[in-house]
Amino acid sequence: MSRLRTFLSEPTVRARAYLSAVIALGVLTLAAVATRELTYSETADGHPGELHVPTAVLWLVVALVVLGEVRPVLSRRTTDGASLGLAFGTALYAVSCWTDAVLAQALAMVVVQIGQRHTLTRAAFNVAQQTISYSAGGLLYFLLTDSHGHYATGSNVLGAGRVSALMVCALVVVVVNHVLVWLGVAAVRGVPFSLQLRRDGWRQTRSSAAMICLAPLVVGLTMRHAWLLLCLLPAIYVVHGSTTERWEREWESKHDLLTGLPNSRQLRADGDRALEDAERTGGNVGVLLLDLDRFKDVNDTLGHLIGDQLLRVVASRLSACVGSQGTLARWSGDEFVVLLPHVRTEQDTLAAAHRIAECFTIPFQLEAYTLDLECSIGVAEYPRDAQDFEQLLQRADVAMYQAKRARTGIAGYEAGRDQNTPDRLALLGDLRRALAGGELQLHYQPKVSFASGQVVGFEGLVRWNHVTRGMVNPEEFVQLAEQTGLMSTLTSYVVERALAQAAVWWRSGLSVPIAVNVSMRDIHAPNFVASIQEGLEKHGVPAEALQLEITERVLLQDPQRAKATLERLDALGVNLSLDDFGTGYSSLVLLRSVPVREIKIDKSFVARLAHDAEDAAIVRSTVDLAHSLGLKVVAEGVEDEITWQRLAELGCDVAQGWLLAKALPAHEATAWLNRRALSVPPGRSAALPAPKPRPTLRSTTRPGLSRSD
């Protein structure tokens, strides 16, 4: 028995059982009505309770019932609306017999289902629920107007009593109709009936009430001057058009015009209702925020028309994937949100995310293109991750970006990894003000040649001594700048300070270049090269006074665009260096195709060089590879003499690290550079650097210093 109850509790099973029951009841009701209609025709010239109207007029009203169902008052993009057939159908209760009304409505629904090409099950359900609704109202009208003798049979008087009875019966039709439909929708979607009632109750009830009030007017015209019904049609047509337009505007305010999906406004309303229901019942609500990976490449390469077409195809596939288990909405751009209003466990939400991810394993077929597309999905759940819907969306967004950065496809929200805290927002505001006020400084770490012992350059490393926080870890605020669009401002600030210091050194005869790190966003910015050229001209220094360090990520993301920018920088005379080499995934083809002059071996390999044979092999291979391509090799993180000697033996060209000097403020770097110039004459070969300032801190993890220290 427990297994049977579990089986029957599944939404799909309940939906099939409910639809079957309504269809069966509808067939029996329609058969009974048809039998009663035949009995009337055989035993009486007129039906009990009918008003005396010509047959032609009766058929006119029947035709208007069909027309009203075929052209309901609704938006062109939705099937929910008010049917004019309700006004004419319930009017048949008074002008003819309730059985005529039932048969006329059944005929109208058959015509509608054929025209809209609905499935057999859906068509049968719609015909059945209308038959049941009009039969219930018709039987009540029969009891009120005939069985109790309130109105004389054949009376043509349309008094207040008959009007009241007609409107009460029409109200019964509406109530039974809506209850049957909403129960079916709730069963198919697997949501509570109360939620469906709150969602659609008021909108559909108010529109149906207007049709109910129109029914007595139809009866009155039919009794006195039936031809006036034809005069009523233009007025109804105008009202129909204006009402449809209003419904259209209402639909557009809640839906995305491109995909037809609910928009953010409708999603928030549905989400708030889902959380209210979950709070009342003790249930859970899941939210999946989905972002299409590399969708910008589609727009840039194929154009926005193809991009829009792809979004429509994606929306269609996602709708089929989500089905009745949740609500799919377009959030913004290439982001979609799935609201799961009734999930039992966290595993249910994750399972839904994996089903959606599987939808992207099949290529998307457009008219002229077949595109492979991937997505990143962030998962958050109420009440575990958030207490209101807006916060739930924000947590899902955080999880989505975690999935994107980690390239895992799907990620659940983890509070410990959420960096979007009030403290972080305050730090962002402080960073903006620090950049505007010139509070950030550049410290300079030297790079020394293994062969000559001479200083061949400096790397400019940004430092921030916060008024209240003290020294802020560069990785923290640089990452914050990258994630918030402030990176271009920070890069411009650093380049400006580096060029200003280079101008001071070059004018004093210290001709050493200064290297600064630039991000992928900088390289892809359209005016980046022009800004570098303007800075060089402003400070009056040659292009070789500046060196730009990029990471392998720049070469992987839109390589053609990056290559074009790097070639322009190379033509300008700016030297380029590939930073953190060995930690990324760049290919040799890309390395040969971009105009870099040197590569920097990441300090994670250098630090273990003297003690790890595998790291030594990696460094040796990297040096040989670079030299075969005509590139110099810089080793980062050189911290002891053993490492210096080992790198020199492997043929490394340049060293950078604490064995030489830490990153120094400008005035200290200038003094260090002057001492170095005096202590190592040009052309001298040095196996070890001289002098050798030894730092007191030897840990490879140094809070407050950048990764290049």
Side-chain angles (χ1 to χ4, degrees), residues 11-278:
T12 54
V13 176
R14 293 202 309 268
R16 291 170 185 169
Y18 175 77
L19 295 178
S20 300
V22 172
I23 292 172
L25 181 59
V27 170
L28 293 175
T29 302
L30 190 59
V33 169
T35 302
R36 186 177 180 86
E37 180 74 11
L38 290 174
T39 302
Y40 285 159
S41 301
E42 293 173 358
T43 60
D45 295 333
H47 301 321
E50 68 178 6
L51 300 173
H52 296 302
V53 295
T55 303
V57 174
L58 179 61
W59 280 108
L60 174 61
V61 177
V62 172
L64 291 174
V65 172
V66 177
L67 180 62
E69 291 294 341
V70 171
R71 290 295 306 276
V73 179
L74 43 71
S75 166
R76 291 189 296 272
R77 298 182 176 90
T78 183
T79 57
D80 295 331
S83 171
L84 287 166
L86 175 63
F88 297 110
T90 53
L92 280 174
Y93 288 158
V95 302
S96 181
C97 176
W98 68 272
T99 55
D100 289 339
V102 173
L103 294 175
Q105 188 64 28
L107 172 64
M109 290 305 299
V110 170
V111 172
V112 170
Q113 303 310 303
I114 293 175
Q116 296 182 352
R117 298 181 181 181
H118 287 161
T119 63
L120 181 60
T121 301
R122 183 174 178 179
F125 175 80
N126 287 335
V127 173
Q129 56 91 3
Q130 289 281 33
T131 298
I132 296 171
S133 303
Y134 275 81
S135 297
L139 286 172
L140 179 61
Y141 186 79
F142 175 77
L143 293 174
L144 292 177
T145 58
D146 294 289
S147 296
H148 296 289
H150 291 170
Y151 308 104
T153 300
S155 172
N156 276 3
V157 177
L158 185 64
R162 191 182 290 271
V163 170
S164 300
L166 182 63
M167 296 186 70
V168 168
C169 295
L171 180 62
V172 170
V173 173
V174 171
V175 171
V176 174
N177 171 264
H178 286 174
V179 169
L180 289 174
V181 172
W182 292 339
L183 283 172
V185 173
V188 169
R189 293 180 178 175
V191 300
F193 172 76
S194 58
L195 178 62
Q196 191 64 37
L197 178 63
R198 291 197 304 272
R199 178 180 298 173
D200 298 330
W202 168 243
R203 186 182 73 254
Q204 294 189 8
T205 300
R206 67 182 180 182
S207 56
S208 298
M211 299 299 106
I212 291 174
C213 295
L214 187 60
L217 179 60
V218 174
V219 175
L221 290 176
T222 304
M223 289 171 50
R224 300 298 181 184
H225 304 286
W227 61 272
L228 288 177
L229 285 175
L230 299 177
C231 297
L232 185 62
L233 292 180
I236 293 177
Y237 176 79
V238 173
V239 174
H240 178 280
S242 62
T243 305
T244 299
E245 184 179 353
R246 181 179 64 81
W247 278 56
E248 181 82 4
R249 289 197 300 269
E250 182 179 350
W251 186 94
E252 290 178 353
S253 69
K254 298 179 181 179
H255 291 78
D256 172 58
L257 299 183
L258 178 64
T259 61
L261 297 175
N263 59 16
S264 58
R265 175 185 176 186
Q266 183 63 40
L267 176 67
R268 285 187 171 93
D270 292 345
D272 290 340
R273 283 193 293 264
L275 261 62
E276 290 174 3
D277 187 69

